[in-house]
Amino acid sequence: MDTDVFSKSDPICLVYEKTSGKKATTTEPVQVPTWQDSQWTERGRTEVVMNNLNPQFTKTFLLPYFFEETQLLRFEIYDADSPNVGQDLSPHDFLGRFECVLAQIVSYSTLKAHLGKAEGIGAQWRNKDKNTKTGSITIRAEEDEKCEKIQFDVCGEGLDKKDFFGKSDPYLNFKRKFDDGSAHLVHRTEVKQKTLDPRWATVQINTQTLCGKDGERPIIIECYDHDKWKKGEEPRGEAKFSRDDHIGTAHTTLNELLRGGAGDPVELLLTNEKKKAKKGDKYKCSGTLKIWNSKIIVEPTFLDFISGGTELEFAVAVDFTASNGAPKNSSSLHYMSADRPNQYELALRSVLSICQHYNSSKTFEAFGFGAKLPNSASVSAIFPLDLLRGTPEVVGISGVMSAYRHALQNVQLYGPTNFAPIIDTVAQKAHNMIHDSARYQILLIITDGIISDMHATIRSIINASGLPLSIIIIGVGNEDFEKMHELDSDDSLLQQDSRIAQRDIVQFVTIREFLNNGRGVYLDPDVVQENLAREVLYEVPGQLTGYMKQRGFQPRPVENPWARNSPPPDYDPVLDGIGRRAQAPSPGFQMPVASAPPMY
């Protein structure tokens, strides 16, 4: 808007982030937060552009981005009364504001929206007074730092023999050296059995992790001989390397490693100080490392794929087995209270509130399992949550919650707790996404107990491990979920008989860890949802990029960043909460026919 009489406005933009301060460390009970409860913290302001109604601000803002968090931003435009704008903004004319979440900006890459004068997500998209033109704002986001790695081939020659009746079983440790003299392990190669001339698999290490991208910072390479443990005695984690024999150590830098990219390989001598002190001048070395094919590679990041148009498809499955308790009973996990959402509602909202910003249709698939449907004598292993329309497709968070509440009032809780039918159904959809990087599937399963079909579930997960799919399992209630952690294979890939999963696609957590402060005081539901989402969604970006790398997919190129991905002129933020018109769901759902689990 032009608010100056004899000239045009002199606009400046201030950027704020909403911070509630309610994290997992909260120790006192809190009320449900409102817009007024949270605080807007200024993250920076642009320069003043004099006498201009279409300013292009040159100032850029650096903000941390977390996929697993809701990061609320506000942009306010003022007509500066003077070139120097202080903390008191009252002397300057307010021109308009825009509020959104950071996920919306990174999803669009470039976001263009109308300025308004009302507060709150949704209200700010259009100025209700059509006679007042407040203008528009265009925001562009791009990733500041890419994932830069050094890649090289490495072999050893003439290593010391450490095993009495055979050769060594060597591996390498790469360590970063810090200014205080300490060192930290950042990469370990595989163990090569019974050889003094090993050639290890191609090495890739993040340069920031290895040396802070400092070409001259010292890097330590240690070579060890791995000693085998007796069957059944081998400890987990780092302890299994505790009694290995030191062969030798080499020192190098990032710049020296990169000299092995062309021509002759870089040769590094391994030195064993104990052996050197014992042998004196007769000691030469304990072997040689040769490094070649060295180069810097930049791997696509999660945001590269999101900015390139990759969308997240989302499906949820809710446990309707009888072990939850009768819904009308206040002790039931499905009990609907006017004062506080139940654990299923908390889990649904925590994940949906994040994922909704990465899907333009705002359509989710919602299923139930383990119940008898109306007018049915048999148990449904899987059924659409929307019983009225008979389709799993629902629009928005409100659609999922409405379908859940309606189903709860109309089905008979029964059993058993079987995951395989749900995983197989969603895997069939994910199988249709394998041809490019356009879509990636997330499945949320919420359950109150140990599953009845563990063997079939493991088989289904292994079958689906090569698909664009991540599975999140949230345990509600006070059941002993110890066996469920077997599905979350953080230490080693999931295995059944001779079959091994291609990658880890499962994340399992129990919601009870987030409900109170450890002293019996229940936390505010919004705090629970925030902390739960942070835990269960943390691994998704890595799982997505890992799958894309495995398949050899690259992000789709982003065209002119100031022209693409803006909301269409007919967008309605009230419908979908972001500015893209929600798509109508398909009219029907065909129940899957019982058959052998698919193989992918």
Side-chain angles (χ1 to χ4, degrees):
M1 288 191 300
D2 189 359
T3 58
D4 290 347
V5 178
F6 300 107
S7 64
K8 297 178 181 178
S9 295
D10 307 317
I12 180 175
C13 181
L14 282 71
V15 181
Y16 299 88
E17 182 176 7
K18 177 162 283 191
T19 55
S20 65
K22 296 167 183 165
K23 303 295 184 182
T25 54
T26 303
T27 58
E28 299 299 331
V30 293
Q31 301 299 318
V32 176
T34 65
W35 284 92
Q36 288 72 31
D37 290 330
S38 301
Q39 297 178 346
W40 287 104
T41 303
E42 183 178 333
R43 296 307 187 195
R45 54 183 67 184
T46 68
E47 73 280 8
V48 176
V49 179
M50 303 299 292
N51 197 33
N52 196 325
L53 301 184
N54 300 287
Q56 292 189 1
F57 301 107
T58 60
K59 171 76 173 180
T60 58
F61 300 89
L62 188 64
L63 294 174
Y65 162 77
F66 303 100
F67 166 75
E68 64 275 12
E69 296 184 11
T70 299
Q71 299 170 268
L72 297 173
L73 300 179
R74 172 187 284 180
F75 301 83
E76 289 189 346
I77 307 290
Y78 289 85
D79 174 20
D81 187 55
S82 63
N84 297 318
V85 180
Q87 294 301 312
D88 182 10
L89 299 174
S90 58
H92 312 285
D93 294 323
F94 175 65
L95 300 182
R97 68 166 54 92
F98 171 65
E99 294 168 10
C100 65
V101 294
L102 182 57
Q104 295 171 229
I105 304 175
V106 301
S107 295
Y108 284 120
S109 181
T110 298
L111 180 64
K112 184 175 182 179
H114 297 281
L115 289 168
K117 291 196 173 183
E119 286 194 3
I121 300 295
Q124 79 286 7
W125 291 84
R126 289 191 188 279
N127 187 359
K128 293 182 179 180
D129 184 356
K130 296 183 179 179
N131 297 320
T132 303
K133 296 181 179 180
T134 53
S136 65
I137 184 171
T138 303
I139 309 161
R140 175 191 175 191
E142 61 184 7
E143 200 164 8
D144 180 57
E145 290 190 5
K146 301 299 183 182
C147 182
E148 180 183 279
K149 295 183 178 182
I150 180 172
Q151 175 179 294
F152 55 87
D153 291 310
V154 57
C155 70
E157 292 185 356
L159 303 184
D160 284 350
K161 177 183 174 182
K162 291 293 182 178
D163 293 344
F164 187 77
F165 293 108
K167 300 179 179 179
S168 296
D169 303 314
Y171 65 90
L172 299 178
N173 288 334
F174 289 82
K175 291 187 174 181
R176 175 176 177 173
K177 191 171 184 179
F178 293 93
D179 294 336
D180 61 0
S182 63
H184 181 74
L185 177 67
V186 297
H187 181 79
R188 175 179 287 130
T189 68
E190 74 280 14
V191 175
K192 289 297 182 180
Q193 302 290 337
K194 300 178 181 179
T195 178
L196 302 181
D197 302 294
R199 176 171 177 173
W200 292 278
T202 300
V203 174
Q204 284 188 3
I205 309 176
N206 187 297
T207 56
Q208 178 66 40
T209 305
L210 181 63
C211 58
K213 295 186 178 181
D214 182 349
E216 294 302 323
R217 179 178 289 274
I219 298 170
I220 301 171
I221 307 177
E222 299 172 337
C223 185
Y224 277 88
D225 168 42
H226 182 58
D227 284 343
K228 292 182 180 180
W229 294 74
K230 292 182 180 180
K231 189 175 181 180
E233 295 182 359
E234 181 174 325
R236 304 184 68 178
E238 288 296 305
K240 64 184 178 183
F241 299 101
S242 59
R243 64 184 194 185
D244 294 349
D245 297 318
H246 180 227
I247 294 177
T249 299
H251 298 267
T252 186
T253 63
L254 178 64
N255 287 341
E256 184 176 25
L257 292 175
L258 289 172
R259 284 197 285 272
D264 296 332
V266 171
E267 294 192 9
L268 303 174
L269 296 181
L270 291 169
T271 303
N272 187 310
E273 294 298 335
K274 289 184 177 180
K275 190 174 181 180
K276 181 179 179 180
K278 185 177 181 180
K279 288 196 170 185
D281 294 338
K282 295 181 179 180
Y283 179 79
K284 301 293 183 182
C285 67
S286 294
T288 303
L289 297 180
K290 290 188 176 181
I291 296 170
W292 72 102
N293 288 339
S294 304
K295 59 183 178 181
I296 294 293
I297 59 173
V298 179
E299 290 192 341
T301 65
F302 175 74
L303 282 182
D304 287 330
F305 286 102
I306 296 300
S307 299
T310 299
E311 296 208 348
L312 302 183
E313 301 285 340
F314 186 81
V316 59
V318 178
D319 184 336
F320 284 90
T321 57
S323 55
N324 285 280
K328 293 183 179 180
N329 191 322
S330 61
S331 63
S332 170
L333 293 170
H334 282 303
Y335 179 70
M336 294 292 181
S337 169
D339 301 326
R340 185 180 182 88
N342 66 38
Q343 294 184 27
Y344 282 92
E345 292 178 300
L346 286 172
L348 286 169
R349 288 189 179 277
S350 69
V351 179
L352 284 168
S353 62
I354 301 295
C355 293
Q356 65 174 333
H357 300 300
Y358 299 89
N359 184 293
S360 60
S361 72
K362 297 297 171 292
T363 299
F364 307 119
E365 285 192 320
F367 300 95
F369 62 92
K372 288 184 177 181
L373 302 187
N375 303 318
S376 176
S378 60
V379 176
S380 294
I382 174 176
F383 59 90
L385 206 58
D386 190 341
L387 299 178
L388 292 175
R389 294 185 306 144
T391 172
E393 294 184 334
V394 294
V395 178
I397 298 177
S398 60
V400 175
M401 304 310 294
S402 177
Y404 164 64
R405 295 189 187 103
H406 180 265
L408 200 56
Q409 297 170 1
N410 290 275
V411 302
Q412 179 185 354
L413 274 58
Y414 215 80
T417 306
N418 291 339
F419 280 11
I422 291 287
I423 295 174
D424 290 341
T425 297
V426 176
Q428 288 174 4
K429 180 184 176 184
H431 187 259
N432 296 326
M433 306 176 187
I434 64 174
H435 304 293
D436 54 36
S437 62
R439 295 183 296 162
Y440 187 88
Q441 180 73 49
I442 298 175
L443 168 61
L444 168 64
I445 302 176
I446 313 174
T447 184
D448 80 314
I450 301 299
I451 57 180
S452 307
D453 63 340
M454 180 65 79
H455 189 273
T457 295
I458 293 175
R459 179 181 60 190
S460 295
I461 293 173
I462 292 176
N463 288 346
S465 62
L467 298 176
L469 173 65
S470 291
I471 302 174
I472 299 167
I473 304 173
I474 298 179
V476 299
N478 296 315
E479 180 64 71
D480 180 6
F481 290 102
E482 185 62 33
K483 291 185 179 179
M484 299 288 281
H485 289 282
E486 179 184 348
L487 305 178
D488 188 355
S489 49
D490 288 334
D491 295 331
S492 59
L493 290 175
L494 193 61
Q495 184 173 354
Q496 187 178 76
D497 301 325
S498 60
R499 302 182 62 232
I500 303 176
Q502 296 185 38
R503 59 194 185 94
D504 177 21
I505 63 172
V506 177
Q507 172 76 345
F508 173 76
V509 300
T510 55
I511 197 172
R512 60 173 175 257
E513 301 173 24
F514 304 91
L515 293 178
N516 59 60
N517 62 0
R519 295 185 300 179
V521 178
Y522 278 94
L523 299 178
D524 170 77
D526 279 24
V527 177
V528 174
Q529 290 174 194
E530 177 184 344
N531 295 330
L532 180 62
R534 186 181 296 115
E535 178 70 18
V536 300
L537 293 173
Y538 177 77
E539 294 184 4
V540 169
Q543 290 174 343
L544 183 147
T545 54
Y547 167 78
M548 297 298 180
K549 179 181 178 181
Q550 189 179 67
R551 295 282 297 177
F553 291 143
Q554 293 293 316
R556 291 185 290 183
V558 178
E559 299 109 20
N560 180 359
W562 290 105
R564 74 174 293 275
N565 271 353
S566 292
D570 66 337
Y571 67 83
D572 186 345
V574 177
L575 286 183
D576 59 23
I578 185 172
R580 295 185 232 190
R581 187 168 292 280
Q583 299 175 2
S586 59
F589 170 67
Q590 184 176 356
M591 292 298 295
V593 178
S595 61
M599 301 286 287
Y600 302 115

